[in-house]
Amino acid sequence: MQTTVQRITPYRVLSYVMLFILAVIFTFPLYWIVTGSFKDAQAINAPAPVWFPTNPITTNYARLMERPAISWLLNTLFICGMAMLLICITATMAGYAIAKKRFACRALIFSIFVMAMALPKQVILIPLLKEISFLGLHNTLWAVIFPTVGWPFGVFLMKQFSENIPGSILEATRIDGAGEVQTFIQIVLPMVAPGIGALAIFTFISAWNDYFLQLLMLNTARTYTISVGIAKLQDEMFTDFGLIMAGAALAAIPIVVVFLMFQRFFTRGITMGAVKG
Amino acid sequence: MQYTLTQQARQRRRRENLVGYAFMLPSLLFFLGFVIFPMGMALVTSFTDYSMTTFGFVGLSNYIRAFKDAVFIKSLGNTLVIVLVSVPLVTLFSLWVASAVYKSSQFTSSLIRIIFYLPIVTGTVAVTVVWKWMFNNYYGLLNYVFKSLGIISSNINWLGNPATALWCIITILFTTSIGQPIVLYISALANVDPSLVEAGEVDGANHMQVFWKIKWPQIMPTTLYILVITTINSFQCFALIQLLTSGGPNNATNTIMYNIYYHAYKLNEYGYGNAMGILLALLIAIFSFFQFRLAKSDNE
């Protein structure tokens, strides 16, 4: 058996070298954020870049805490956590129903969900803002949470996972006299648990970074998320890059840690969500 | 007997309907309330002069205005440049990365996925502010590195120069776009039926032939999905522009999405903003349609 593919050819060496260079370029911004956040003004504005802060300072973080950066972080956590919880509940129920229940207009509803997913999200944001103001939710965290929950990706993902539940098991449970709710909690939930995990982590990360929605819905410093807070900070402080990098680090590090911890779930979420779009 | 059976069936169907909709209800409420309703409103108000003070039907005049608006045309052009450059670039590049690593060890392919996903996870705002620093005219890393390498002789004001600003945006957009396509391609390539590849190799097909004749058709659905999501993302490029250039200098980086934001939130022209939004949605629909057509014809 020939294994031409794994042989070391000049092409392979070249592609690994290129991959390495690219990997450096792709990780560099994060490195530059973290190191930058510990640099003093002199190191920040040095004509030749200071590659590593030799005398690190924490003043940037101290100044950041004077803004209510911690409350920005708490707002973000609340939005992500609540959106995650609500999506996991609603999407799991709906995904199961679409996959396993034969109710009227099922196919039609599902295709509307899929079509809405292909629509550019931002196009609906102006009317959404008006609607949110009308409901009296503007400048509350719910203004970001509700539209996030409405987005149909979760339903689509959970439908994919629910397809794998064998109909015979559901039938057997029904014959045993279990009610619908009991079946859902005791049989369905454990079987789609990996899907819920993928959806949870996916929702958390995308809600954390949904800057545009947060920017529109939250206009008071009290309700800022970390992304909006940092964006306003750089509007105001301009070239105070030390402070801005501290903010960027505070926005990025928690979510990067979450991503690294749950990377497998996350990857499964995006691959499952793509099958036969 | 016959009668009771149909009655039973009917009862069963009614039960299925009831239970089905009960499970759908929470999700449908959010979906109808926060996606479908605003979508309908966007369409309706695009035919009005809706603003802070007015709300009257004006027919197609918002749409006509858009096509006479030099700034809109400019932003349309910039948006098309971004899409036409970044979509092929992201697709080809992620395919190349994925095919270079998908046979590697679990560790390597995980590492690659993490590295290329990092800019997305880091978050648009954090990534944008650090690039803004790197692009800075006086304190930026880029001018220093390029000068040391002898590529440029004096500092370039990357974001302040109409000739370079859009390319800076495209560069950052690229780094924040390829993570997902790489993950998708790695899993698609790993799922290609190995017996087909072996059969091809036994028949004497070379590397390129195996790739284009056997693997490429099998990963076509993934390619299509990647084309569509990358197109949508590129069309909606907003945060980068709002944070880096605010559409400037002299509208050189203005995009439709930024233009909508500007008219709706800075000038309170909701009707006009929504009309541009509908045009953007139509444009994306047209692009997606042609991508589907292309993918279909390529498969036959």
Side-chain angles (χ1 to χ4, degrees), chain A residues 71-109:
Chain A
S71 79
W72 298 344
L73 212 51
L74 291 177
N75 287 341
T76 316
L77 277 174
F78 181 79
I79 288 174
C80 295
M82 196 50 95
M84 187 173 93
L85 186 72
L86 289 175
I87 287 190
C88 285
I89 296 170
T90 58
T92 308
M93 288 169 65
Y96 163 64
I98 291 178
K100 292 294 164 189
K101 297 286 167 201
R102 297 286 167 269
F103 56 90
C105 301
R106 173 176 139 274
L108 177 72
I109 291 177

Short mmCIF file of all heavy atoms in Angstrom, two decimals, chain A residues 71-109:
data_model
loop_
_atom_site.label_atom_id
_atom_site.label_comp_id
_atom_site.label_asym_id
_atom_site.label_seq_id
_atom_site.Cartn_x
_atom_site.Cartn_y
_atom_site.Cartn_z
N SER A 71 -18.84 45.88 36.57
CA SER A 71 -20.28 45.77 36.32
C SER A 71 -20.54 45.50 34.83
O SER A 71 -21.50 44.81 34.48
CB SER A 71 -21.02 47.01 36.81
OG SER A 71 -20.89 48.05 35.89
N TRP A 72 -19.67 45.99 33.94
CA TRP A 72 -19.79 45.61 32.52
C TRP A 72 -19.67 44.10 32.37
O TRP A 72 -20.41 43.46 31.63
CB TRP A 72 -18.70 46.26 31.67
CG TRP A 72 -18.73 47.75 31.64
CD1 TRP A 72 -19.77 48.57 32.01
CD2 TRP A 72 -17.68 48.61 31.21
NE1 TRP A 72 -19.40 49.89 31.84
CE2 TRP A 72 -18.14 49.93 31.36
CE3 TRP A 72 -16.38 48.39 30.73
CZ2 TRP A 72 -17.35 51.04 31.03
CZ3 TRP A 72 -15.60 49.48 30.40
CH2 TRP A 72 -16.08 50.80 30.56
N LEU A 73 -18.71 43.57 33.10
CA LEU A 73 -18.46 42.13 33.03
C LEU A 73 -19.67 41.36 33.56
O LEU A 73 -20.10 40.36 32.96
CB LEU A 73 -17.21 41.82 33.84
CG LEU A 73 -16.31 40.68 33.39
CD1 LEU A 73 -15.96 40.79 31.93
CD2 LEU A 73 -15.05 40.63 34.23
N LEU A 74 -20.22 41.84 34.67
CA LEU A 74 -21.38 41.16 35.26
C LEU A 74 -22.59 41.24 34.32
O LEU A 74 -23.31 40.25 34.16
CB LEU A 74 -21.73 41.77 36.63
CG LEU A 74 -20.70 41.51 37.73
CD1 LEU A 74 -21.09 42.22 39.02
CD2 LEU A 74 -20.53 40.01 37.98
N ASN A 75 -22.78 42.42 33.69
CA ASN A 75 -23.88 42.54 32.72
C ASN A 75 -23.71 41.52 31.60
O ASN A 75 -24.66 40.86 31.20
CB ASN A 75 -23.88 43.94 32.09
CG ASN A 75 -24.38 44.99 33.05
OD1 ASN A 75 -25.04 44.69 34.03
ND2 ASN A 75 -24.05 46.24 32.77
N THR A 76 -22.48 41.41 31.09
CA THR A 76 -22.22 40.48 30.00
C THR A 76 -22.51 39.05 30.44
O THR A 76 -23.15 38.28 29.72
CB THR A 76 -20.75 40.59 29.54
OG1 THR A 76 -20.41 41.95 29.44
CG2 THR A 76 -20.56 39.91 28.21
N LEU A 77 -22.05 38.72 31.64
CA LEU A 77 -22.28 37.37 32.15
C LEU A 77 -23.77 37.08 32.28
O LEU A 77 -24.24 35.99 31.93
CB LEU A 77 -21.62 37.19 33.52
CG LEU A 77 -20.14 36.84 33.49
CD1 LEU A 77 -19.58 36.84 34.90
CD2 LEU A 77 -19.93 35.48 32.84
N PHE A 78 -24.52 38.07 32.77
CA PHE A 78 -25.96 37.87 32.93
C PHE A 78 -26.63 37.64 31.58
O PHE A 78 -27.42 36.71 31.41
CB PHE A 78 -26.59 39.08 33.63
CG PHE A 78 -28.07 38.93 33.86
CD1 PHE A 78 -28.53 38.17 34.92
CD2 PHE A 78 -28.98 39.52 33.00
CE1 PHE A 78 -29.89 38.01 35.13
CE2 PHE A 78 -30.35 39.37 33.20
CZ PHE A 78 -30.80 38.60 34.27
N ILE A 79 -26.26 38.48 30.60
CA ILE A 79 -26.85 38.33 29.26
C ILE A 79 -26.53 36.95 28.69
O ILE A 79 -27.42 36.24 28.23
CB ILE A 79 -26.32 39.43 28.31
CG1 ILE A 79 -26.92 40.78 28.70
CG2 ILE A 79 -26.63 39.10 26.86
CD1 ILE A 79 -26.36 41.96 27.93
N CYS A 80 -25.26 36.57 28.74
CA CYS A 80 -24.87 35.29 28.14
C CYS A 80 -25.51 34.12 28.88
O CYS A 80 -26.02 33.19 28.25
CB CYS A 80 -23.35 35.13 28.18
SG CYS A 80 -22.51 36.33 27.18
N GLY A 81 -25.49 34.18 30.21
CA GLY A 81 -26.05 33.08 30.98
C GLY A 81 -27.54 32.92 30.76
O GLY A 81 -28.04 31.82 30.51
N MET A 82 -28.25 34.04 30.78
CA MET A 82 -29.70 33.99 30.63
C MET A 82 -30.08 33.56 29.21
O MET A 82 -30.97 32.73 29.03
CB MET A 82 -30.28 35.37 30.96
CG MET A 82 -31.77 35.39 31.21
SD MET A 82 -32.31 34.15 32.40
CE MET A 82 -32.33 35.08 33.90
N ALA A 83 -29.39 34.11 28.20
CA ALA A 83 -29.68 33.74 26.82
C ALA A 83 -29.43 32.25 26.63
O ALA A 83 -30.21 31.54 26.00
CB ALA A 83 -28.83 34.56 25.86
N MET A 84 -28.34 31.78 27.21
CA MET A 84 -27.98 30.37 27.11
C MET A 84 -29.06 29.49 27.69
O MET A 84 -29.52 28.53 27.08
CB MET A 84 -26.66 30.18 27.85
CG MET A 84 -26.04 28.86 27.72
SD MET A 84 -24.40 28.91 28.51
CE MET A 84 -24.82 28.35 30.13
N LEU A 85 -29.49 29.85 28.90
CA LEU A 85 -30.52 29.06 29.59
C LEU A 85 -31.81 29.02 28.77
O LEU A 85 -32.37 27.96 28.50
CB LEU A 85 -30.79 29.69 30.96
CG LEU A 85 -31.73 28.93 31.88
CD1 LEU A 85 -31.02 27.69 32.39
CD2 LEU A 85 -32.18 29.81 33.05
N LEU A 86 -32.29 30.21 28.35
CA LEU A 86 -33.56 30.28 27.63
C LEU A 86 -33.47 29.55 26.29
O LEU A 86 -34.38 28.83 25.90
CB LEU A 86 -33.98 31.74 27.42
CG LEU A 86 -34.43 32.48 28.67
CD1 LEU A 86 -34.70 33.94 28.37
CD2 LEU A 86 -35.69 31.83 29.23
N ILE A 87 -32.36 29.73 25.58
CA ILE A 87 -32.23 29.05 24.28
C ILE A 87 -32.20 27.55 24.48
O ILE A 87 -32.85 26.80 23.74
CB ILE A 87 -30.95 29.50 23.53
CG1 ILE A 87 -31.15 30.91 23.01
CG2 ILE A 87 -30.65 28.55 22.37
CD1 ILE A 87 -30.07 31.36 22.06
N CYS A 88 -31.47 27.09 25.46
CA CYS A 88 -31.38 25.64 25.67
C CYS A 88 -32.77 25.06 25.93
O CYS A 88 -33.11 24.00 25.40
CB CYS A 88 -30.42 25.30 26.80
SG CYS A 88 -28.71 25.49 26.29
N ILE A 89 -33.59 25.75 26.73
CA ILE A 89 -34.93 25.23 27.02
C ILE A 89 -35.81 25.29 25.76
O ILE A 89 -36.34 24.26 25.32
CB ILE A 89 -35.59 26.04 28.16
CG1 ILE A 89 -34.79 25.86 29.45
CG2 ILE A 89 -37.03 25.61 28.35
CD1 ILE A 89 -35.20 26.79 30.57
N THR A 90 -35.92 26.48 25.17
CA THR A 90 -36.87 26.62 24.06
C THR A 90 -36.44 25.81 22.84
O THR A 90 -37.25 25.15 22.20
CB THR A 90 -37.02 28.10 23.64
OG1 THR A 90 -35.73 28.60 23.27
CG2 THR A 90 -37.58 28.94 24.75
N ALA A 91 -35.13 25.83 22.53
CA ALA A 91 -34.67 25.15 21.32
C ALA A 91 -34.73 23.63 21.47
O ALA A 91 -35.03 22.92 20.52
CB ALA A 91 -33.25 25.59 20.96
N THR A 92 -34.47 23.12 22.68
CA THR A 92 -34.54 21.68 22.86
C THR A 92 -35.97 21.20 22.69
O THR A 92 -36.23 20.20 22.00
CB THR A 92 -34.02 21.29 24.27
OG1 THR A 92 -32.74 21.87 24.45
CG2 THR A 92 -33.92 19.80 24.41
N MET A 93 -36.90 21.94 23.27
CA MET A 93 -38.31 21.56 23.13
C MET A 93 -38.74 21.61 21.67
O MET A 93 -39.33 20.67 21.13
CB MET A 93 -39.19 22.51 23.96
CG MET A 93 -39.08 22.29 25.45
SD MET A 93 -39.88 23.61 26.41
CE MET A 93 -41.59 23.37 25.94
N ALA A 94 -38.42 22.72 21.00
CA ALA A 94 -38.87 22.90 19.63
C ALA A 94 -38.17 21.91 18.68
O ALA A 94 -38.79 21.35 17.79
CB ALA A 94 -38.61 24.33 19.18
N GLY A 95 -36.87 21.71 18.91
CA GLY A 95 -36.12 20.79 18.05
C GLY A 95 -36.69 19.38 18.15
O GLY A 95 -36.84 18.68 17.14
N TYR A 96 -37.03 18.97 19.36
CA TYR A 96 -37.63 17.65 19.58
C TYR A 96 -38.98 17.55 18.87
O TYR A 96 -39.27 16.57 18.18
CB TYR A 96 -37.75 17.41 21.08
CG TYR A 96 -38.69 16.30 21.48
CD1 TYR A 96 -38.44 14.97 21.13
CD2 TYR A 96 -39.84 16.58 22.24
CE1 TYR A 96 -39.30 13.95 21.51
CE2 TYR A 96 -40.70 15.57 22.63
CZ TYR A 96 -40.43 14.26 22.26
OH TYR A 96 -41.29 13.26 22.64
N ALA A 97 -39.79 18.60 19.02
CA ALA A 97 -41.11 18.58 18.40
C ALA A 97 -40.99 18.47 16.89
O ALA A 97 -41.67 17.65 16.25
CB ALA A 97 -41.90 19.84 18.79
N ILE A 98 -40.10 19.26 16.29
CA ILE A 98 -39.97 19.23 14.83
C ILE A 98 -39.46 17.88 14.35
O ILE A 98 -39.89 17.35 13.34
CB ILE A 98 -39.06 20.37 14.34
CG1 ILE A 98 -39.76 21.71 14.57
CG2 ILE A 98 -38.74 20.22 12.86
CD1 ILE A 98 -38.94 22.91 14.18
N ALA A 99 -38.54 17.29 15.12
CA ALA A 99 -37.97 16.02 14.69
C ALA A 99 -38.91 14.85 14.91
O ALA A 99 -38.97 13.92 14.11
CB ALA A 99 -36.65 15.77 15.43
N LYS A 100 -39.69 14.86 15.98
CA LYS A 100 -40.41 13.65 16.37
C LYS A 100 -41.93 13.75 16.41
O LYS A 100 -42.61 12.75 16.56
CB LYS A 100 -39.90 13.19 17.76
CG LYS A 100 -38.46 12.69 17.74
CD LYS A 100 -38.33 11.42 16.92
CE LYS A 100 -36.88 11.15 16.58
NZ LYS A 100 -36.70 10.06 15.62
N LYS A 101 -42.49 14.95 16.37
CA LYS A 101 -43.94 15.07 16.45
C LYS A 101 -44.49 15.39 15.06
O LYS A 101 -43.92 16.20 14.34
CB LYS A 101 -44.34 16.20 17.42
CG LYS A 101 -43.92 15.94 18.85
CD LYS A 101 -44.80 14.89 19.48
CE LYS A 101 -44.21 14.38 20.78
NZ LYS A 101 -44.73 13.07 21.16
N ARG A 102 -45.59 14.75 14.71
CA ARG A 102 -46.16 15.00 13.39
C ARG A 102 -47.32 15.98 13.49
O ARG A 102 -48.45 15.61 13.33
CB ARG A 102 -46.65 13.67 12.78
CG ARG A 102 -45.55 12.67 12.54
CD ARG A 102 -44.71 13.08 11.33
NE ARG A 102 -43.48 12.30 11.24
CZ ARG A 102 -42.32 12.68 11.80
NH1 ARG A 102 -42.24 13.80 12.47
NH2 ARG A 102 -41.25 11.93 11.69
N PHE A 103 -47.03 17.23 13.81
CA PHE A 103 -48.11 18.20 13.93
C PHE A 103 -48.28 18.96 12.62
O PHE A 103 -47.39 18.95 11.75
CB PHE A 103 -47.86 19.17 15.10
CG PHE A 103 -46.56 19.89 15.03
CD1 PHE A 103 -46.45 21.11 14.39
CD2 PHE A 103 -45.42 19.34 15.62
CE1 PHE A 103 -45.25 21.78 14.33
CE2 PHE A 103 -44.21 20.01 15.56
CZ PHE A 103 -44.12 21.22 14.91
N ALA A 104 -49.45 19.63 12.48
CA ALA A 104 -49.77 20.31 11.22
C ALA A 104 -48.78 21.44 10.96
O ALA A 104 -48.31 22.09 11.89
CB ALA A 104 -51.19 20.87 11.30
N CYS A 105 -48.46 21.66 9.69
CA CYS A 105 -47.57 22.75 9.26
C CYS A 105 -46.15 22.59 9.77
O CYS A 105 -45.38 23.55 9.80
CB CYS A 105 -48.07 24.12 9.69
SG CYS A 105 -49.67 24.51 9.08
N ARG A 106 -45.79 21.38 10.17
CA ARG A 106 -44.46 21.17 10.74
C ARG A 106 -43.37 21.53 9.73
O ARG A 106 -42.45 22.29 10.03
CB ARG A 106 -44.35 19.71 11.17
CG ARG A 106 -43.01 19.28 11.63
CD ARG A 106 -43.11 17.84 12.10
NE ARG A 106 -41.97 17.08 11.68
CZ ARG A 106 -41.86 16.48 10.51
NH1 ARG A 106 -42.83 16.54 9.64
NH2 ARG A 106 -40.77 15.81 10.22
N ALA A 107 -43.51 21.01 8.50
CA ALA A 107 -42.49 21.26 7.48
C ALA A 107 -42.40 22.74 7.14
O ALA A 107 -41.32 23.29 6.98
CB ALA A 107 -42.80 20.43 6.24
N LEU A 108 -43.58 23.36 7.08
CA LEU A 108 -43.61 24.79 6.73
C LEU A 108 -42.89 25.61 7.79
O LEU A 108 -42.03 26.44 7.48
CB LEU A 108 -45.07 25.25 6.62
CG LEU A 108 -45.23 26.75 6.34
CD1 LEU A 108 -44.82 27.06 4.91
CD2 LEU A 108 -46.65 27.21 6.61
N ILE A 109 -43.22 25.33 9.06
CA ILE A 109 -42.59 26.08 10.15
C ILE A 109 -41.08 25.89 10.12
O ILE A 109 -40.31 26.83 10.23
CB ILE A 109 -43.17 25.66 11.51
CG1 ILE A 109 -44.62 26.13 11.63
CG2 ILE A 109 -42.34 26.24 12.66
CD1 ILE A 109 -45.32 25.70 12.89
#
